[in-house]
């Protein structure tokens, strides 16, 4: 294979474009993104200079994807199949029917990959997919790639090790038809993890239900009178177990409720934030309370923890910010910094085999 100058990416399950953006920032050319949530179109196209296709991957053919790449490009097929069925929350509630139609999306990814035969494939997901019992989806995905000539590496990563300021644990798969491929080594250690204070310590203070006058994304959900009492009764780094009994929820007094020990908790300045979810702007959905202010984190704070830069546009200028929708966008996204790390790994791999030069 001759040396090439363009690395082109098609992103399946692209959402608002976190993975694409991170890869683009590290020099890869984003061609297109596919997703079934058409409301993601504006953010994806605006920030990634790429075309958004509103289409279910189940109806997508490899031939259609193949036509999007340039003839002289190194082809990368990327994606993060929806991870809700494999999440730790799904394991806790033990609802085997929840999102069961999504179990097969990784098989669709594998089908498209074998039809397109790109040089490089990358997939990001939750680590629980390694031990998922209903269907061995990851094992089957890896076997499909290997039987089609790919070298495959699978890494469990702790996001703070790569400069992502949240205690997110993720799985990153890289596959290459060229040769062995690996994720780059960690870039951070416990001594220089990026903390909550590093990320949001300089943002203007706001109250629950308030929007910052200079940043429409710096908006916090309104709290009920009782929830306001609860957050005011939560000490620094504390949680619901620190409240007087009259403020505690009935479910927390049951044995089953004690496993959700961090809900209604406050973050601490000195550590990375907890994992951002689609419900991360809700006080009762995790340790999503601001370290000092009496509110849950704002959309801006959640986006920054996910490593979206402040200039990332989630809504068009004439569109109102919708907290629930934006929380879903942010929580479902691959952190752009992780996309950057994946891109660096791909570039290193191609340089190792003398197949790419940065012009």
């Amino acid at each position: 294979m001759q040396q090439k100058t363009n690395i082109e990416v098609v992103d399946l399950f692209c959402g608002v474009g976190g993975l694409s953006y991170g890869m683009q920032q590290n020099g890869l050319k984003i061609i297109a993104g596919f997703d079934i949530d058409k409301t993601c179109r504006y953010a994806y196209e605006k920030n990634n200079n790429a075309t958004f296709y509103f289409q279910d991957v189940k109806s997508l053919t490899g031939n259609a994807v193949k036509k999007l790449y340039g003839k002289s490009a190194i082809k990368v097929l990327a994606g993060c199949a929806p991870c809700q069925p494999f999440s730790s929350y799904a394991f806790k509630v033990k609802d085997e029917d929840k999102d069961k139609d999504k179990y097969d999306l990784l098989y669709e990814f594998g089908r498209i990959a074998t039809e397109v035969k790109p040089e490089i494939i990358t997939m990001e997901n939750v680590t629980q997919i390694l031990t998922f019992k209903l269907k061995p989806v990851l094992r089957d995905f890896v076997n499909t790639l290997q039987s089609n000539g790919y070298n495959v590496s699978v890494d469990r990563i702790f996001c703070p090790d790569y400069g992502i300021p949240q205690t997110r644990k993720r799985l990153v798969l890289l596959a290459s038809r060229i040769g062995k491929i690996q994720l780059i080594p960690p870039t951070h250690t416990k001594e220089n993890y990026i903390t909550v204070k590093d990320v949001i310590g300089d943002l203007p203070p706001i109250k629950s239900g308030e929007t910052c006058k200079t940043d429409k994304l710096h908006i916090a959900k309104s709290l009920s009178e009782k929830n306001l009492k609860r957050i005011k009764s939560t000490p620094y780094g504390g949680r619901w177990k620190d409240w007087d009994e009259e403020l505690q929820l009935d479910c927390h007094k049951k044995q089953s409720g004690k496993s959700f020990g961090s809900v209604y908790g406050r973050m601490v300045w000195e550590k990375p934030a907890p994992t951002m979810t689609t419900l991360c702007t809700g006080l009762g959905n995790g340790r999503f309370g601001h370290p000092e202010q009496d509110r849950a984190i704002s959309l801006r704070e959640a986006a920054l923890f996910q490593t979206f830069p402040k200039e990332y546009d989630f809504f068009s200028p004439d569109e109102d910010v919708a907290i629930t929708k934006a929380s879903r966008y942010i929580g479902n996204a691959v952190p752009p910094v992780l996309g950057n790390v994946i891109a660096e790994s791909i570039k290193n791999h191609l340089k190792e085999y003398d197949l790419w030069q940065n012009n």
Side-chain angles (χ1 to χ4, degrees):
M1 187 185 293
Q2 293 182 338
Q3 193 175 74
K4 300 180 180 181
T5 56
N6 251 5
I7 308 172
E8 296 184 353
V9 181
V10 172
D11 187 354
L12 305 180
F13 321 105
C14 66
V16 292
L19 177 60
S20 287
Y21 187 82
M23 298 177 91
Q24 175 189 245
Q25 292 298 296
N26 204 343
L28 276 57
K29 184 178 181 181
I30 310 303
I31 301 300
F34 289 82
D35 205 279
I36 58 170
D37 184 354
K38 62 183 176 182
T39 70
C40 294
R41 180 187 300 276
Y42 173 81
Y44 188 83
E45 294 188 340
K46 176 69 166 56
N47 298 284
N48 292 288
N49 193 30
T51 303
F52 177 92
Y53 291 91
F54 170 48
Q55 186 172 350
D56 189 334
V57 297
K58 292 180 180 179
S59 66
L60 182 62
T61 66
N63 192 46
V65 174
K66 197 183 299 186
K67 289 178 180 178
L68 297 172
Y69 294 101
K71 290 184 178 179
S72 62
I74 293 171
K75 299 184 289 295
V76 177
L77 185 65
C80 174
C83 58
Q84 288 91 342
F86 316 113
S87 70
S88 57
Y89 175 77
F91 278 11
K92 281 183 179 180
V93 299
K94 297 180 180 178
D95 184 357
E96 296 185 352
D97 290 326
K98 182 176 173 60
D99 297 322
K100 62 182 179 181
D101 60 321
K102 294 181 179 178
Y103 298 151
D104 294 331
L105 292 178
L106 204 52
Y107 291 101
E108 295 295 336
F109 192 164
R111 173 186 61 79
I112 293 168
T114 57
E115 292 172 2
V116 175
K117 291 184 171 59
E119 284 78 13
I120 307 291
I121 294 166
T122 183
M123 187 272 292
E124 187 260 14
N125 218 294
V126 293
T127 58
Q128 289 87 350
I129 197 173
L130 287 164
T131 55
F132 190 67
K133 295 178 181 178
L134 290 184
K135 289 185 181 181
V137 287
L138 180 64
R139 186 194 67 193
D140 291 346
F141 185 66
V142 170
N143 287 345
T144 294
L145 298 183
Q146 289 176 334
S147 65
N148 280 272
Y150 285 90
N151 290 273
V152 181
S153 70
V154 177
D155 288 281
R156 291 194 223 201
I157 69 161
F158 185 51
C159 284
D161 290 339
Y162 287 91
I164 299 164
Q166 54 174 304
T167 56
R168 191 182 187 103
K169 296 175 182 177
R170 304 298 283 185
L171 176 141
V172 177
L173 178 148
L174 287 164
S176 171
R177 296 177 64 208
I178 299 162
K180 290 184 178 180
I181 186 169
Q182 289 289 336
L183 197 68
I184 63 170
T187 56
H188 290 64
T189 65
K190 286 183 179 180
E191 286 67 39
N192 64 351
Y193 281 168
I194 299 174
T195 67
V196 169
K197 190 161 186 78
D198 293 332
V199 178
I200 69 168
D202 62 348
L203 292 182
I206 57 173
K207 298 177 181 178
S208 71
E210 186 178 8
T211 302
C212 178
K213 293 179 181 178
T214 59
D215 182 358
K216 68 177 185 178
L217 209 68
H218 191 28
I219 177 175
K221 276 188 175 179
S222 296
L223 295 179
S224 66
E225 184 178 342
K226 191 152 193 177
N227 277 341
L228 194 55
K229 287 181 180 178
R230 286 169 172 151
I231 189 66
K232 287 181 177 180
S233 297
T234 307
Y236 180 70
R239 50 187 177 158
W240 65 266
K241 291 185 178 180
D242 297 302
W243 303 339
D244 292 337
E245 190 172 346
E246 64 176 15
L247 291 176
Q248 293 181 12
L249 283 75
D250 290 339
C251 62
H252 294 154
K253 298 173 185 177
K254 299 176 182 177
Q255 191 62 36
S256 58
K258 292 180 180 179
S259 62
F260 295 95
S262 293
V263 297
Y264 290 92
R266 285 190 187 271
M267 297 180 189
V268 295
W269 290 122
E270 302 85 2
K271 296 180 180 179
T275 300
M276 294 296 105
T277 70
T278 58
L279 302 173
C280 61
T281 54
L283 182 63
N285 299 311
R287 191 178 289 279
F288 298 132
H290 189 277
E292 295 177 355
Q293 297 165 37
D294 294 329
R295 59 174 176 83
I297 59 170
S298 71
L299 288 173
R300 173 61 69 202
E301 289 161 340
L304 291 173
F305 289 136
Q306 275 283 61
T307 71
F308 282 102
K310 286 186 178 180
E311 61 269 21
Y312 206 91
D313 288 328
F314 293 95
F315 298 97
S316 64
D318 58 350
E319 189 178 2
D320 291 334
V321 171
I323 294 181
T324 300
K325 184 187 292 185
S327 298
R328 175 166 49 84
Y329 289 163
I330 293 165
N332 277 336
V334 177
V337 165
L338 184 53
N340 193 297
V341 166
I342 291 169
E344 186 70 14
S345 304
I346 291 170
K347 286 163 57 177
N348 285 355
H349 169 68
L350 296 173
K351 288 175 185 175
E352 181 183 353
Y353 287 90
D354 198 29
L355 293 175
W356 178 77
Q357 64 179 15
N358 191 5
N359 57 358

